[in-house]
């Protein structure tokens, strides 16, 4: 006799749903595990070009030590915005953050709901009028007026169920919340 | 006799202030030049891991063709958030976008004000309680409760003037505006 309960696959979409439910149970039992802090250190290189170093984070009740090496990520601008295309620009990284978060949230929710996904693709567009950021006309804001996001999702569930997963991801994505609602920033500068 | 007016340096901090003022004049004369569109295409790889391709943009009245190759930027999560550290996570990219934008805006404004900068460094921290994103307690939002940003700026100007440059950058940064005020998102999904 085989105990099939131990051989049922819990990994779907590359995500172990047993770990999802284990995390939920652990956080319910010990809410302090839910506190996370993410960190970035940035250094100006030259012109519009800067470099972020990303390694440590705090979460699940401890300082995370899983990254033996830091990630190094640059930002700059194309020539039309005074840079030399050393890297994507900050507004593009902002869209990338939104794309990455929505996508992994969709994959997580599908795994928890036992849906196998075959594909998630998305295109994102943000539009702005630079008269705002250039200080030429205050009737324009500095940032994007709006962002359009188009997802295409394929998987072994009905269109209705896939749409439910997208809707749930929208209501639970960390970055979607930050993009649509904003975040208070405390900014200090040591100068001289 | 030398015409010193043509030999005065206009490049400061790696940024040509003549180009800044030329851009301002051009946009004043033809406001349509101020319309920009930035774009990201993202594809899910597996688990929490996805990949963005970033190349084209529209701005200054034309489709930009300065990037002969696309930028390729991944996002994922550490194991504690169900990933394998394939790349920084989306919330970290969100902080990186803010750091990169504030930094290049500071460099631009200093160049326009004839201030030579020696150093711009920053550290950013965003904190959240995952009970929000996990759907365990709606009194917590999904995203960061707040972000702390600490800049250190060194340059050949008084502390007062450097502080003024930081304050001006805060009031003109594209991503600072988006982070603090949010952006409307139109999200559509083709499913099935």
């Amino acid at each position: 006799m085989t105990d099939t309960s131990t051989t049922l696959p819990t990994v779907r979409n590359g995500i172990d749903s047993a770990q999802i439910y284990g995390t939920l149970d652990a956080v319910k039992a010990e809410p302090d595990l839910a506190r996370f802090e993410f960190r970035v250190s940035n250094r100006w290189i030259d012109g519009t070009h800067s470099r972020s170093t990303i390694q440590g984070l705090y979460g699940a009740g401890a300082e995370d030590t899983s990254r033996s090496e830091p990630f190094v990520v640059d930002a700059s601008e194309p020539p039309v915005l005074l840079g030399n295309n050393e890297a994507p620009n900050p507004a593009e990284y902002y869209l990338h953050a939104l794309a990455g978060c929505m996508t992994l949230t969709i994959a997580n929710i599908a795994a928890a709901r036992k849906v196998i996904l075959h594909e998630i693709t998305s295109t994102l567009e943000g539009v702005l009028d630079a008269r705002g950021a250039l200080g030429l006309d205050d009737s324009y804001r500095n940032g994007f007026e709006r962002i359009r996001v188009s997802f295409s999702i394929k998987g072994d569930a009905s269109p209705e169920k896939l749409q439910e997963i997208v809707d749930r991801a929208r209501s639970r994505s960390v970055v979607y919340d930050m993009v649509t609602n904003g975040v208070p920033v405390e900014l200090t500068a040591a100068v001289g």
Side-chain angles (χ1 to χ4, degrees), chain A:
Chain A
M1 222 171 80
T2 309
D3 179 359
T4 56
S5 70
T6 62
T7 58
L8 285 173
T10 64
V11 177
R12 292 180 197 89
N13 310 319
I15 292 160
D16 187 348
S17 56
Q19 194 189 343
I20 297 179
Y21 289 111
T23 299
L24 289 170
D25 289 341
V27 170
K28 281 178 199 163
E30 199 178 338
D32 279 356
L33 296 178
R35 297 295 299 174
F36 276 80
E37 180 178 285
F38 299 108
R39 305 170 196 137
V40 166
S41 296
N42 185 277
R43 175 175 289 275
W44 178 52
I45 297 177
D46 194 31
T48 60
H49 185 198
S50 73
R51 178 164 294 163
S52 288
T53 303
I54 302 170
Q55 183 168 18
L57 63 119
Y58 180 88
E63 186 67 20
D64 188 87
T65 57
S66 65
R67 294 164 170 174
S68 54
E69 297 290 329
F71 296 113
V72 176
V73 187
D74 287 14
S76 190
E77 292 284 5
V80 72
L81 291 167
L82 309 172
N84 299 298
N85 273 330
E86 294 91 341
N89 84 1
E92 291 166 329
Y93 277 114
Y94 182 88
L95 295 176
H96 168 63
L98 178 57
C101 191
M102 279 295 300
T103 298
L104 72 84
T105 306
I106 289 168
N108 278 333
I109 291 169
R113 296 184 180 191
K114 301 185 171 41
V115 171
I116 304 287
L117 297 177
H118 306 310
E119 187 180 295
I120 314 172
T121 59
S122 57
T123 59
L124 296 88
E125 302 161 2
V127 294
L128 62 80
D129 191 303
R131 280 176 284 182
L134 289 171
L136 292 175
D137 185 341
D138 279 340
S139 64
Y140 297 94
R141 66 179 294 180
N142 301 327
F144 290 145
E145 293 160 17
R146 63 185 181 282
I147 295 171
R148 278 186 298 266
V149 182
S150 304
F151 270 94
S152 173
I153 320 268
K154 293 184 174 40
D156 71 352
S158 67
E160 292 71 25
K161 189 155 189 179
L162 293 173
Q163 184 64 52
E164 256 181 54
I165 290 169
V166 174
D167 293 343
R168 179 73 175 171
R170 173 160 37 184
S171 74
R172 288 300 166 205
S173 159
V174 166
V175 177
Y176 186 89
D177 168 30
M178 297 197 288
V179 167
T180 53
N181 295 313
V183 182
V185 175
E186 298 167 32
L187 190 148
T188 57
V191 292

